[in-house]
Coordinates of all heavy atoms in Angstrom, one line a residue:
M168 N 54.1 76.2 174.6 CA 54.0 74.9 175.3 C 55.1 74.7 176.3 O 56.3 74.8 175.9 CB 54.2 73.8 174.2 CG 53.5 72.5 174.5 SD 51.7 72.7 174.8 CE 51.2 72.9 173.0
D169 N 54.8 74.6 177.6 CA 55.8 74.5 178.6 C 55.9 73.2 179.2 O 55.3 72.7 180.1 CB 55.3 75.5 179.7 CG 56.4 75.8 180.8 OD1 57.4 74.9 180.9 OD2 56.3 76.7 181.5
G170 N 56.9 72.4 178.6 CA 57.2 71.0 179.0 C 57.5 70.9 180.5 O 57.1 70.0 181.1
E171 N 58.3 71.9 181.0 CA 58.7 71.9 182.4 C 57.5 71.9 183.3 O 57.4 71.2 184.3 CB 59.6 73.0 182.7 CG 60.1 73.0 184.1 CD 61.3 74.0 184.3 OE1 61.6 74.8 183.4 OE2 61.8 74.0 185.4
K172 N 56.5 72.8 183.0 CA 55.3 73.0 183.8 C 54.5 71.7 183.7 O 54.0 71.2 184.8 CB 54.5 74.2 183.3 CG 53.7 74.7 184.4 CD 53.0 76.0 183.8 CE 53.0 77.2 184.8 NZ 52.6 78.4 184.1
L173 N 54.3 71.2 182.5 CA 53.6 69.9 182.4 C 54.2 68.8 183.2 O 53.5 68.0 183.8 CB 53.5 69.6 180.9 CG 52.7 70.5 179.9 CD1 52.9 70.1 178.5 CD2 51.2 70.5 180.3
F174 N 55.5 68.7 183.1 CA 56.2 67.7 183.8 C 56.0 67.9 185.3 O 55.7 66.9 186.1 CB 57.7 67.7 183.4 CG 58.4 66.4 184.0 CD1 58.6 65.4 183.2 CD2 58.9 66.4 185.3 CE1 59.2 64.3 183.6 CE2 59.5 65.3 185.7 CZ 59.7 64.2 184.9
A175 N 56.2 69.0 185.8 CA 56.1 69.3 187.2 C 54.7 68.9 187.8 O 54.5 68.3 188.9 CB 56.4 70.8 187.5
T176 N 53.6 69.2 186.9 CA 52.3 68.9 187.4 C 51.9 67.4 187.4 O 51.4 66.9 188.3 CB 51.3 69.6 186.4 OG1 51.7 71.0 186.3 CG2 49.9 69.6 187.0
S177 N 52.4 66.7 186.3 CA 51.9 65.4 186.1 C 52.9 64.3 186.3 O 52.5 63.1 186.5 CB 51.4 65.2 184.6 OG 50.5 66.1 184.3
C178 N 54.1 64.6 186.4 CA 55.2 63.6 186.5 C 56.1 63.7 187.7 O 56.6 62.7 188.1 CB 56.1 63.6 185.2 SG 55.2 64.0 183.7
G179 N 56.2 64.9 188.2 CA 57.2 65.2 189.2 C 57.1 64.5 190.5 O 58.0 64.3 191.2
W180 N 55.8 64.1 190.8 CA 55.6 63.5 192.1 C 56.2 62.0 192.1 O 56.3 61.4 193.1 CB 54.2 63.5 192.6 CG 53.1 63.1 191.6 CD1 52.7 63.7 190.5 CD2 52.4 61.9 191.7 NE1 51.7 63.0 189.9 CE2 51.5 61.8 190.6 CE3 52.4 60.8 192.6 CZ2 50.7 60.8 190.4 CZ3 51.5 59.7 192.4 CH2 50.6 59.8 191.3
C181 N 56.5 61.5 190.9 CA 57.1 60.2 190.8 C 58.5 60.3 190.3 O 59.4 59.5 190.7 CB 56.3 59.2 189.9 SG 54.8 58.6 190.6
H182 N 58.7 61.2 189.4 CA 60.1 61.4 188.8 C 60.6 62.6 189.5 O 60.4 63.8 189.1 CB 60.0 61.5 187.3 CG 59.5 60.3 186.6 ND1 60.4 59.2 186.4 CD2 58.3 59.9 186.1 CE1 59.6 58.3 185.8 NE2 58.4 58.6 185.6
Q183 N 61.3 62.4 190.6 CA 61.7 63.4 191.5 C 62.7 64.5 191.0 O 63.4 64.2 190.0 CB 62.4 62.8 192.8 CG 61.6 61.7 193.5 CD 60.5 62.3 194.3 OE1 60.8 63.1 195.3 NE2 59.2 62.1 194.0
D184 N 62.7 65.6 191.6 CA 63.6 66.7 191.3 C 63.5 67.0 189.8 O 64.5 67.2 189.1 CB 65.0 66.4 191.7 CG 66.0 67.6 191.6 OD1 65.5 68.7 191.5 OD2 67.1 67.4 191.7
G185 N 62.2 67.1 189.3 CA 62.0 67.4 187.9 C 62.6 66.4 186.9 O 62.9 66.7 185.8
G186 N 62.7 65.2 187.4 CA 63.2 64.1 186.5 C 64.7 63.9 186.6 O 65.3 63.1 185.9
R187 N 65.3 64.7 187.6 CA 66.8 64.6 187.7 C 67.2 63.5 188.7 O 68.4 63.2 188.7 CB 67.3 66.0 188.1 CG 67.2 67.1 187.1 CD 67.6 68.4 187.7 NE 67.3 69.5 186.9 CZ 66.1 70.1 186.9 NH1 65.1 69.7 187.6 NH2 65.9 71.1 186.1
A188 N 66.3 63.0 189.4 CA 66.7 62.0 190.5 C 65.6 60.9 190.5 O 64.5 61.1 190.1 CB 66.7 62.7 191.8
A189 N 66.0 59.8 191.0 CA 65.1 58.6 191.0 C 64.2 58.8 192.3 O 64.6 59.3 193.3 CB 65.9 57.3 191.2
G190 N 62.9 58.5 192.1 CA 62.0 58.5 193.3 C 61.1 57.3 193.1 O 61.7 56.2 193.1
R191 N 59.8 57.4 193.1 CA 59.0 56.3 192.8 C 59.3 55.8 191.4 O 59.1 54.6 191.1 CB 57.5 56.7 192.8 CG 57.0 57.0 194.2 CD 55.5 57.3 194.2 NE 54.7 56.2 193.7 CZ 53.4 56.1 193.7 NH1 52.7 57.1 194.1 NH2 52.8 55.1 193.2
G192 N 59.6 56.7 190.5 CA 59.9 56.3 189.1 C 61.5 56.6 188.9 O 62.1 57.2 189.8
P193 N 62.0 56.1 187.8 CA 63.5 56.3 187.6 C 63.8 57.7 187.2 O 63.0 58.4 186.8 CB 63.7 55.3 186.4 CG 62.4 55.2 185.7 CD 61.4 55.3 186.8
K194 N 65.1 58.0 187.4 CA 65.7 59.2 186.9 C 65.5 59.3 185.4 O 65.7 58.3 184.7 CB 67.1 59.3 187.3 CG 67.9 60.5 186.8 CD 69.3 60.5 187.3 CE 70.2 59.7 186.4 NZ 71.6 60.0 186.6
L195 N 65.2 60.4 184.8 CA 65.1 60.5 183.4 C 66.2 61.4 182.8 O 66.5 61.2 181.6 CB 63.7 61.2 183.1 CG 62.5 60.4 183.6 CD1 61.2 61.1 183.3 CD2 62.4 59.0 183.0
A196 N 66.8 62.2 183.5 CA 67.9 63.0 183.0 C 69.0 62.1 182.5 O 69.3 61.1 183.1 CB 68.5 63.9 184.1
G197 N 69.6 62.4 181.3 CA 70.6 61.7 180.7 C 70.2 60.3 180.2 O 71.1 59.5 179.9
S198 N 68.9 60.1 180.0 CA 68.4 58.9 179.4 C 69.0 58.6 178.0 O 69.2 59.5 177.2 CB 66.9 58.9 179.3 OG 66.4 57.7 178.6
D199 N 69.4 57.3 177.8 CA 69.9 57.0 176.5 C 68.8 56.3 175.6 O 69.1 55.7 174.6 CB 71.2 56.0 176.6 CG 71.0 54.8 177.5 OD1 69.8 54.6 177.8 OD2 72.0 54.2 177.8
R200 N 67.6 56.4 176.1 CA 66.5 55.9 175.3 C 66.3 56.8 174.1 O 66.5 58.1 174.1 CB 65.2 55.9 176.1 CG 65.3 55.2 177.4 CD 65.3 53.7 177.3 NE 65.0 53.0 178.5 CZ 65.0 51.7 178.7 NH1 65.4 50.9 177.7 NH2 64.7 51.2 179.9
T201 N 65.6 56.3 173.0 CA 65.2 57.2 171.9 C 64.0 58.0 172.2 O 63.3 57.7 173.2 CB 64.9 56.3 170.6 OG1 63.8 55.5 171.0 CG2 66.0 55.3 170.3
D202 N 63.8 59.0 171.5 CA 62.6 59.9 171.6 C 61.4 59.0 171.5 O 60.4 59.2 172.2 CB 62.6 61.0 170.6 CG 63.5 62.1 170.9 OD1 64.3 62.0 171.9 OD2 63.5 63.2 170.2
E203 N 61.4 58.1 170.5 CA 60.2 57.3 170.3 C 59.9 56.4 171.5 O 58.8 56.2 171.9 CB 60.4 56.4 169.0 CG 60.0 57.1 167.7 CD 58.7 57.8 167.8 OE1 57.8 57.3 168.2 OE2 58.7 59.1 167.5
Y204 N 61.0 55.9 172.1 CA 60.7 55.1 173.3 C 60.1 55.9 174.4 O 59.1 55.5 175.1 CB 62.1 54.5 173.8 CG 61.9 53.6 175.1 CD1 61.8 52.3 175.0 CD2 61.9 54.3 176.3 CE1 61.7 51.5 176.1 CE2 61.7 53.5 177.4 CZ 61.6 52.1 177.3 OH 61.4 51.4 178.5
L205 N 60.7 57.1 174.6 CA 60.1 58.0 175.7 C 58.6 58.3 175.4 O 57.8 58.2 176.3 CB 60.9 59.3 175.8 CG 62.4 59.1 176.1 CD1 63.1 60.5 176.1 CD2 62.6 58.5 177.5
L206 N 58.4 58.7 174.2 CA 57.0 59.1 173.8 C 56.1 58.0 174.0 O 54.9 58.1 174.5 CB 57.0 59.5 172.3 CG 57.4 60.9 172.0 CD1 57.6 61.1 170.4 CD2 56.4 62.0 172.5
N207 N 56.5 56.8 173.6 CA 55.6 55.6 173.7 C 55.4 55.3 175.2 O 54.2 55.0 175.6 CB 56.2 54.4 173.0 CG 55.3 53.2 172.9 OD1 54.1 53.4 172.4 ND2 55.7 52.1 173.5
R208 N 56.4 55.4 176.0 CA 56.2 55.1 177.4 C 55.2 56.1 178.1 O 54.4 55.7 178.9 CB 57.5 55.1 178.1 CG 57.4 55.1 179.6 CD 56.6 53.9 180.1 NE 57.3 52.6 179.9 CZ 58.1 52.1 180.7 NH1 58.3 52.6 181.9 NH2 58.7 50.9 180.4
I209 N 55.4 57.3 177.7 CA 54.5 58.3 178.3 C 53.0 58.0 177.8 O 52.1 58.2 178.6 CB 54.9 59.8 177.9 CG1 56.4 60.0 178.5 CG2 54.0 60.8 178.5 CD1 57.0 61.2 177.8
R210 N 52.8 57.7 176.6 CA 51.5 57.4 176.1 C 50.8 56.2 176.7 O 49.7 56.3 177.1 CB 51.6 57.1 174.5 CG 51.8 58.3 173.7 CD 51.5 58.0 172.3 NE 51.9 59.1 171.3 CZ 53.0 59.0 170.6 NH1 53.8 58.0 170.7 NH2 53.3 60.0 169.8
V211 N 51.6 55.1 176.8 CA 51.0 53.9 177.3 C 51.2 53.6 178.7 O 50.6 52.7 179.3 CB 51.4 52.7 176.4 CG1 51.1 52.9 175.0 CG2 52.8 52.3 176.6
G212 N 52.2 54.2 179.4 CA 52.5 54.0 180.8 C 53.1 52.6 181.0 O 53.6 52.0 180.0
K213 N 52.9 52.1 182.2 CA 53.4 50.8 182.5 C 52.5 50.2 183.6 O 52.4 50.7 184.7 CB 54.9 50.8 183.0 CG 55.4 49.6 183.5 CD 56.4 49.1 182.5 CE 57.1 47.8 183.0 NZ 58.2 47.4 182.1
E214 N 51.9 49.1 183.3 CA 51.0 48.4 184.2 C 51.5 48.4 185.6 O 52.5 47.9 185.9 CB 50.8 47.0 183.7 CG 49.7 46.2 184.4 CD 48.4 46.3 183.8 OE1 48.2 46.0 182.6 OE2 47.4 46.6 184.6
G215 N 50.6 48.9 186.5 CA 51.0 48.8 187.9 C 52.1 49.7 188.4 O 52.4 49.7 189.5
A216 N 52.7 50.5 187.4 CA 53.8 51.4 187.8 C 53.6 52.8 187.5 O 53.9 53.7 188.3 CB 55.1 50.8 187.2
M217 N 53.2 53.1 186.2 CA 53.0 54.4 185.8 C 51.8 54.5 184.9 O 51.5 53.6 184.1 CB 54.3 54.7 184.9 CG 54.2 56.0 184.2 SD 55.7 56.4 183.3 CE 55.1 57.6 182.1
P218 N 51.0 55.6 185.2 CA 49.7 55.8 184.4 C 50.0 56.1 182.9 O 51.1 56.6 182.6 CB 49.1 56.9 185.1 CG 50.0 57.6 186.0 CD 51.2 56.7 186.1
A219 N 49.1 55.8 182.1 CA 49.1 56.1 180.6 C 48.6 57.6 180.5 O 47.6 58.0 181.1 CB 48.3 55.2 179.8
F220 N 49.3 58.4 179.7 CA 49.0 59.7 179.5 C 48.5 60.1 178.1 O 48.3 61.2 177.8 CB 50.1 60.6 179.8 CG 50.5 60.7 181.3 CD1 51.4 59.8 181.8 CD2 49.8 61.5 182.2 CE1 51.7 59.8 183.2 CE2 50.1 61.5 183.6 CZ 51.1 60.7 184.1
A221 N 48.3 59.1 177.2 CA 47.8 59.3 175.9 C 46.6 60.2 175.9 O 46.5 61.1 175.0 CB 47.6 58.0 175.1
G222 N 45.6 60.0 176.7 CA 44.4 60.8 176.8 C 44.5 62.1 177.4 O 43.6 62.9 177.3
S223 N 45.6 62.4 178.1 CA 45.8 63.6 178.9 C 46.4 64.7 178.1 O 46.2 65.9 178.4 CB 46.6 63.3 180.1 OG 46.2 62.2 180.8
F224 N 47.3 64.3 177.2 CA 48.1 65.3 176.5 C 47.9 65.2 175.0 O 47.8 64.2 174.4 CB 49.6 65.1 176.8 CG 49.9 65.2 178.3 CD1 50.6 64.2 178.9 CD2 49.7 66.5 178.9 CE1 50.9 64.4 180.3 CE2 50.0 66.6 180.2 CZ 50.6 65.6 181.0
S225 N 48.0 66.4 174.4 CA 48.0 66.5 172.9 C 49.4 66.0 172.4 O 50.4 66.1 173.2 CB 47.7 67.9 172.5 OG 48.8 68.8 172.9
E226 N 49.5 65.8 171.2 CA 50.8 65.5 170.5 C 51.9 66.6 170.8 O 53.0 66.2 171.2 CB 50.7 65.2 169.0 CG 51.7 64.5 168.4 CD 52.0 63.1 169.0 OE1 51.1 62.4 169.5 OE2 53.2 62.6 169.0
P227 N 51.5 67.8 170.6 CA 52.6 68.9 170.9 C 52.9 68.9 172.4 O 54.1 69.2 172.7 CB 51.8 70.2 170.5 CG 50.8 69.8 169.5 CD 50.4 68.4 169.9
Q228 N 52.0 68.6 173.3 CA 52.3 68.6 174.7 C 53.3 67.5 175.0 O 54.3 67.6 175.7 CB 51.1 68.5 175.5 CG 50.3 69.8 175.6 CD 49.0 69.6 176.4 OE1 48.2 68.6 176.2 NE2 48.6 70.6 177.2
L229 N 53.0 66.2 174.4 CA 53.9 65.2 174.5 C 55.4 65.5 174.1 O 56.3 65.2 174.8 CB 53.4 63.9 173.8 CG 52.2 63.2 174.4 CD1 51.6 62.3 173.5 CD2 52.5 62.6 175.7
R230 N 55.4 66.1 172.9 CA 56.7 66.5 172.3 C 57.4 67.5 173.3 O 58.6 67.4 173.5 CB 56.6 67.2 171.0 CG 55.9 66.3 170.0 CD 56.9 65.6 169.0 NE 56.3 64.5 168.3 CZ 56.9 63.4 167.9 NH1 58.3 63.3 168.0 NH2 56.3 62.5 167.3
A231 N 56.6 68.4 173.8 CA 57.3 69.4 174.8 C 57.8 68.7 176.0 O 58.9 69.1 176.5 CB 56.2 70.5 175.2
I232 N 57.1 67.7 176.5 CA 57.6 67.0 177.7 C 58.9 66.3 177.3 O 59.9 66.3 178.1 CB 56.5 66.0 178.2 CG1 55.3 66.8 178.8 CG2 57.1 65.1 179.3 CD1 54.1 65.9 179.2
V233 N 59.0 65.6 176.2 CA 60.2 64.9 175.8 C 61.3 65.9 175.6 O 62.5 65.7 176.1 CB 60.0 64.1 174.5 CG1 61.3 63.6 174.0 CG2 59.0 62.9 174.8
A234 N 61.0 67.1 175.0 CA 62.0 68.1 174.8 C 62.5 68.6 176.2 O 63.8 68.8 176.4 CB 61.5 69.3 174.1
Y235 N 61.6 68.7 177.2 CA 62.1 69.0 178.5 C 63.0 68.0 179.1 O 64.1 68.3 179.7 CB 60.8 69.3 179.4 CG 61.2 69.3 180.9 CD1 61.8 70.3 181.5 CD2 60.9 68.1 181.7 CE1 62.2 70.4 182.8 CE2 61.3 68.1 183.0 CZ 61.9 69.2 183.6 OH 62.2 69.3 184.9
I236 N 62.6 66.7 179.0 CA 63.5 65.6 179.5 C 64.9 65.7 178.9 O 65.9 65.5 179.6 CB 62.8 64.2 179.2 CG1 61.5 64.1 180.1 CG2 63.8 63.1 179.5 CD1 60.7 62.8 179.8
R237 N 64.9 65.9 177.6 CA 66.2 66.0 176.9 C 67.0 67.2 177.4 O 68.2 67.2 177.2 CB 66.0 66.2 175.4 CG 65.4 65.0 174.7 CD 66.5 63.9 174.7 NE 65.9 62.7 174.0 CZ 66.2 61.4 174.5 NH1 66.9 61.2 175.5 NH2 65.7 60.4 173.9
S238 N 66.4 68.3 177.9 CA 67.1 69.5 178.3 C 67.7 69.3 179.7 O 68.5 70.2 180.1 CB 66.1 70.7 178.3 OG 65.3 70.7 179.4
L239 N 67.3 68.3 180.4 CA 67.8 68.1 181.7 C 69.3 67.8 181.8 O 69.8 66.9 181.0 CB 67.1 67.0 182.4 CG 65.6 67.2 182.7 CD1 65.0 65.9 183.2 CD2 65.4 68.3 183.7
K240 N 70.0 68.4 182.7 CA 71.4 68.1 182.9 C 71.5 66.9 183.9 O 70.8 66.9 184.9 CB 72.2 69.2 183.4 CG 72.3 70.3 182.4 CD 73.7 71.0 182.5 CE 74.0 71.8 181.2 NZ 73.0 72.7 180.9
D241 N 72.3 65.9 183.6 CA 72.4 64.7 184.4 C 73.4 65.0 185.5 O 74.6 64.7 185.5 CB 72.9 63.6 183.5 CG 72.9 62.3 184.2 OD1 72.3 62.2 185.3 OD2 73.3 61.2 183.6
T242 N 72.8 65.6 186.6 CA 73.7 66.1 187.7 C 73.8 65.0 188.8 O 74.8 65.1 189.6 CB 73.2 67.4 188.3 OG1 71.8 67.2 188.5 CG2 73.4 68.5 187.3
H243 N 72.8 64.2 189.0 CA 72.9 63.2 190.1 C 73.6 61.9 189.5 O 73.3 61.5 188.4 CB 71.5 62.8 190.5 CG 70.8 63.9 191.3 ND1 70.8 64.0 192.7 CD2 70.1 64.9 190.8 CE1 70.1 65.1 193.0 NE2 69.6 65.6 191.9
P244 N 74.5 61.3 190.3 CA 75.1 60.1 189.8 C 74.2 58.9 189.7 O 73.2 58.9 190.3 CB 76.2 59.8 190.9 CG 75.8 60.6 192.1 CD 74.9 61.7 191.7
Ligands
HEC8 C1 52.7 57.1 189.6 C2 54.1 57.4 189.5 C3 54.5 57.9 188.0 C4 54.0 59.0 187.4 C5 52.9 59.9 187.7 C6 54.8 59.0 186.1 N1 55.7 58.0 186.1 FE1 57.0 57.6 184.6 N2 57.6 56.0 185.5 C7 57.2 55.5 186.7 C8 57.8 54.2 187.0 C9 57.6 53.4 188.3 C10 58.6 53.9 185.9 C11 59.4 52.7 185.7 C12 58.5 51.6 185.2 C13 59.3 50.3 184.8 O1 59.8 50.4 183.7 O2 59.4 49.4 185.6 C14 58.4 55.0 184.9 C15 59.1 55.1 183.8 C16 59.1 56.2 182.9 C17 59.9 56.3 181.7 C18 60.8 55.3 181.1 C19 62.2 55.5 181.6 C20 63.1 54.4 181.1 O3 64.2 54.8 180.7 O4 62.7 53.2 181.0 C21 59.6 57.6 181.2 C22 60.2 58.2 179.9 C23 58.7 58.2 182.1 N3 58.4 57.3 183.1 C24 58.2 59.5 181.9 C25 57.1 60.0 182.6 C26 56.5 61.2 182.3 C27 56.9 62.1 181.2 C28 55.4 61.4 183.2 C29 54.4 62.5 183.2 C30 53.6 62.7 182.0 C31 55.5 60.2 184.1 N4 56.5 59.4 183.7 C32 54.6 60.0 185.2 C33 56.3 56.2 187.6 C34 55.5 57.3 187.2

C-alpha cells in the first residue's frame, strides 16, 4: 500500500508539495490533529472545500494515506 502515491494522485493538487505546503487546502505536515480526526476528514470531506473519499479508498488505503501524512517532515514555516 503506497500512501505517497495515493496522496499524489488524489490529494496533491490541493495539498501542495505532497502535503508539505498550503495550497487550495491547508498544509498537512506537522499536523497536531489525531489520527481519528485525519481519517474522518478524509472520509467525509468538507462541504464546498474538500471532496469525501470514503467511497474511493479501502480502510487499508486510508490508513496508508494517514501514515504518509505522519511521515512528512514539517519543512515549510
Ligand atoms: C479540492 C481540493 C482538495 C482535495 C482534492 C483534497 N483536499 Fe483535503 N482539504 C481541502 C481544504 C480546502 C481543506 C480545509 C477545509 C476546512 O477545514 O476549511 C482540507 C482539509 C484537509 C484535512 C484537515 C486538515 C486540518 O488539520 O484541519 C485533511 C487531513 C485533508 N484535507 C486531507 C486530504 C487528503 C488525504 C486528501 C486526498 C485523499 C485530500 N485532503 C484531498 C481541500 C482538498
Side-chain angles (χ1 to χ4, degrees):
M168 209 60 76
D169 190 340
E171 181 171 6
K172 205 178 225 168
L173 293 171
F174 191 95
T176 311
S177 301
C178 323
W180 53 285
C181 286
H182 296 281
Q183 304 282 301
D184 194 11
R187 295 173 188 85
R191 290 185 59 173
K194 177 177 85 163
L195 301 175
S198 172
D199 53 10
R200 308 285 197 185
T201 63
D202 283 5
E203 276 316 308
Y204 180 97
L205 298 178
L206 280 168
N207 189 57
R208 170 53 69 89
I209 300 165
R210 286 195 190 100
V211 306
K213 176 104 175 189
E214 183 92 52
M217 175 174 155
F220 290 93
S223 317
F224 296 123
S225 66
E226 199 57 32
Q228 285 176 317
L229 287 168
R230 301 259 164 208
I232 291 171
V233 170
Y235 164 73
I236 291 171
R237 291 291 180 219
S238 77
L239 293 172
K240 290 218 164 52
D241 190 4
T242 48
H243 292 264

